[in-house]
Amino acid sequence: MKTQNQTETPTYRFLMNGKKGNYEVSFSIEDGHLSAGCTCRYSFPCQHVEYILAGRTTRLIGGDVDLQGVLLKAAENTVEGRALMKKAKIKFAGETHCRRCNSTRIVKIKSSLTARFFSLFKETSTHMYFCKNCKWTW
């Protein structure tokens, strides 16, 4: 049981859709230090932790977007949080919306079989992204 002088450590839990299933990513901030964990077997910080710290939301399950905003504000106040957020934003920097129709359903051409199929007869040597809505590449 905690006394009045002890405060409970805020814990933030997210369920995230991954390539091999769903992962639970958790963050806690205690005494000005950020710690994170994930149920995947990859080294820390894994891409799931970085994805959340980069502010990305499309793979989050269950409407945890508001909780993610609270986490990001709290993480900015820690040394580890600022460093991890900077690294994550660089890693996940890129397009988030289609330049033509403003859809969020975009993928990188090299990593999507669907995108490669639809752009088979298009000039895509200098293009990196494909929109699943309007089938446009850029």
Side-chain angles (χ1 to χ4, degrees), residues 25-127:
V25 184
S26 61
F27 298 89
S28 64
I29 299 174
E30 185 173 2
D31 297 329
H33 296 286
L34 174 74
S35 60
C38 183
T39 57
C40 73
R41 289 180 259 146
Y42 300 108
S43 63
F44 181 80
C46 68
Q47 65 181 347
H48 309 110
V49 169
E50 290 178 334
Y51 184 88
I52 291 171
L53 289 176
R56 304 293 301 265
T57 59
T58 55
R59 293 173 51 194
L60 291 179
I61 300 171
D64 293 333
V65 178
D66 295 333
L67 183 62
Q68 182 185 20
V70 173
L71 167 68
L72 294 177
K73 286 181 183 177
E76 285 178 347
N77 296 326
T78 66
V79 175
E80 297 92 352
R82 283 190 298 271
L84 284 172
M85 287 173 70
K86 182 178 179 181
K87 181 182 174 190
K89 287 179 182 177
I90 291 170
K91 181 175 182 175
F92 286 99
E95 298 287 340
T96 58
H97 291 82
C98 176
R99 294 180 181 179
R100 186 179 190 194
C101 69
N102 206 30
S103 169
T104 58
R105 298 186 60 213
I106 63 169
V107 293
K108 289 188 176 181
I109 294 173
K110 290 182 180 179
S111 63
S112 171
L113 184 60
T114 305
R116 282 187 270 164
F117 175 76
F118 277 101
S119 60
L120 190 62
F121 299 107
K122 295 181 179 181
E123 172 56 43
T124 58
S125 61
T126 59
H127 297 185

